[in-house]
Amino acid sequence: MRVILAQPRGFCAGVERAIEIVEKALDRYGPPVYVRHEIVHNKRVVQELTAKGARFVEELDEIPDGAITVFSAHGVAQSVEDTAADRSLPVLDATCPLVAKVHKEGQRYAEKGFEVVLIGHEGHPEVVGTMGRIPGVVHLVQDAGDVATLAPANPDKLAYVTQTTLSVDDTREVIEALKARFPGIAGPDVKDICYATQNRQAAVRKLSETVDLILVVGARNSSNSNRLREIGGEDGTPSYLVEEVAAVDPGWFDGVGAVGVTAGASTPEHLVDEVIDRLRTVAPVELSIMDGIEEHIRFKLPEQLRAA
């Protein structure tokens, strides 16, 4: 069986930074360190950090007074930050810098009197955080059909921002619908789309041209991992989301000569390695890596941890 690894795949710079923040906080301050929400959407990452002394909670009232507190990579609403400040919790903010950039863009539009349209998935932690960061009116739009029901107070003072785990391709139809209905709508440049989302989706499209089946290693609650699986299927290649190696079904590979393997932006590489080892129990594996973009982006740690 030929197994071809997508390039790029797995951790993006925002995820690497978030995990490093928790690990360095544990080293510097000692356990426990409390993390609001899953630091990233991957159970294995959460389990490994828990074993090191991290404690994951859903709300701040679960955190003891004075305990080191980390906000997840998805970002939090202003009200959450305010509550932490009121309690004088020592906070390390692991919000992805690209998510924080979307917050700032939305805030700038709001300060100019614009209502803001957020293109994203209802209930996703990043969307909840972004809506809670932009003052004024924010309209959530999930697909092009939602655009028809928008009722801004002033159609000439309307702007849009997008969830970072959506690519240019994911948002194109919605943005076209917005521009058709509101020709003067303002919005970010294409270059502001998350590079990691775009790169991983492009790699899957390329992968689907040369393989018979695609495995996407990632969590079921990971938006970007689910989208990678969908893209493989859209291009006509049977595609499966694999959260843990035990989920790999040998029956998938009957008559399959080439398997493509990729991973969501919050998936550790050693989980990919485990999946490949599982494939070796199905058939002898000839492993190769697809030509693709090599990412070298690194984001700075919070100032409190840089010396550490």
Side-chain angles (χ1 to χ4, degrees):
M1 183 189 297
R2 289 193 301 121
V3 176
I4 304 172
L5 293 175
Q7 176 70 18
R9 65 187 177 280
F11 280 175
C12 62
V15 166
E16 288 178 342
R17 174 181 180 270
I19 294 169
E20 189 176 3
I21 286 171
V22 178
E23 290 177 335
K24 284 191 177 293
L26 287 166
D27 289 343
R28 182 164 185 176
Y29 303 108
V33 165
Y34 287 82
V35 185
R36 184 187 179 276
H37 194 67
E38 292 184 348
I39 186 68
V40 297
H41 279 159
N42 188 275
K43 287 182 180 177
R44 180 67 67 86
V45 170
V46 170
Q47 288 168 355
E48 290 171 354
L49 291 175
T50 299
K52 294 178 181 180
R55 297 291 177 265
F56 292 88
V57 300
E58 287 303 309
E59 298 300 340
L60 295 183
D61 59 13
E62 301 172 61
I63 300 175
D65 291 343
I68 300 295
T69 302
V70 180
F71 293 154
S72 79
H74 310 98
V76 299
Q78 185 63 50
S79 59
V80 175
E81 186 174 316
D82 292 344
T83 299
D86 290 343
R87 289 189 56 197
S88 299
L89 290 174
V91 169
L92 297 167
D93 191 354
T95 301
C96 173
L98 297 181
V99 174
K101 184 177 182 181
V102 173
H103 294 171
K104 291 184 176 69
E105 286 172 344
Q107 290 161 2
R108 282 196 294 269
Y109 288 131
E111 287 166 4
K112 295 176 182 176
F114 285 74
E115 291 182 24
V116 176
V117 175
L118 171 59
I119 304 170
H121 298 145
E122 185 174 11
H124 190 281
E126 180 186 331
V127 167
V128 173
T130 300
M131 293 186 75
R133 282 279 170 178
I134 301 172
V137 178
V138 182
H139 306 272
L140 179 62
V141 167
Q142 299 191 80
D143 54 43
D146 290 342
V147 175
T149 62
L150 281 179
N154 183 355
D156 296 324
K157 296 281 280 186
L158 196 63
Y160 71 87
V161 295
T162 71
Q163 181 180 333
T164 63
T165 49
L166 301 178
S167 71
V168 174
D169 293 336
D170 294 335
T171 58
R172 182 177 287 112
E173 186 178 356
V174 180
I175 293 171
E176 287 175 353
L178 285 169
K179 289 181 175 179
R181 184 159 179 229
F182 307 104
I185 193 169
D189 194 280
V190 169
K191 70 179 188 310
D192 289 343
I193 294 288
C194 172
Y195 76 92
T197 297
Q198 191 67 27
N199 289 350
R200 279 153 188 72
Q201 291 190 12
V204 166
R205 294 194 191 283
K206 183 178 176 182
L207 194 62
S208 68
E209 297 172 0
T210 57
V211 300
D212 306 310
L213 179 146
I214 291 175
L215 300 180
V216 178
V217 188
R220 295 191 180 280
N221 63 336
S222 165
S223 176
N224 74 87
S225 297
N226 278 284
R227 184 66 186 122
L228 292 176
R229 183 197 58 76
E230 289 172 1
I231 287 171
E234 287 170 2
D235 288 347
T237 306
S239 301
Y240 299 93
L241 183 68
V242 176
E243 189 161 29
E244 287 286 347
V245 66
V248 176
D249 182 350
W252 294 342
F253 308 102
D254 292 342
V256 170
V259 176
V261 178
T262 189
S266 51
T267 303
E269 185 67 8
H270 58 263
L271 194 47
V272 175
D273 293 338
E274 290 175 17
V275 169
I276 294 168
D277 286 341
R278 171 68 167 146
L279 295 180
R280 289 191 172 103
T281 69
V282 177
V285 165
E286 177 190 314
L287 187 64
S288 62
I289 300 176
M290 183 182 77
D291 290 336
I293 295 170
E294 293 187 20
E295 297 171 348
H296 301 290
I297 293 173
R298 294 276 296 174
F299 293 134
K300 288 182 179 178
L301 294 174
E303 193 172 345
Q304 306 100 300
L305 295 178
R306 287 179 203 166

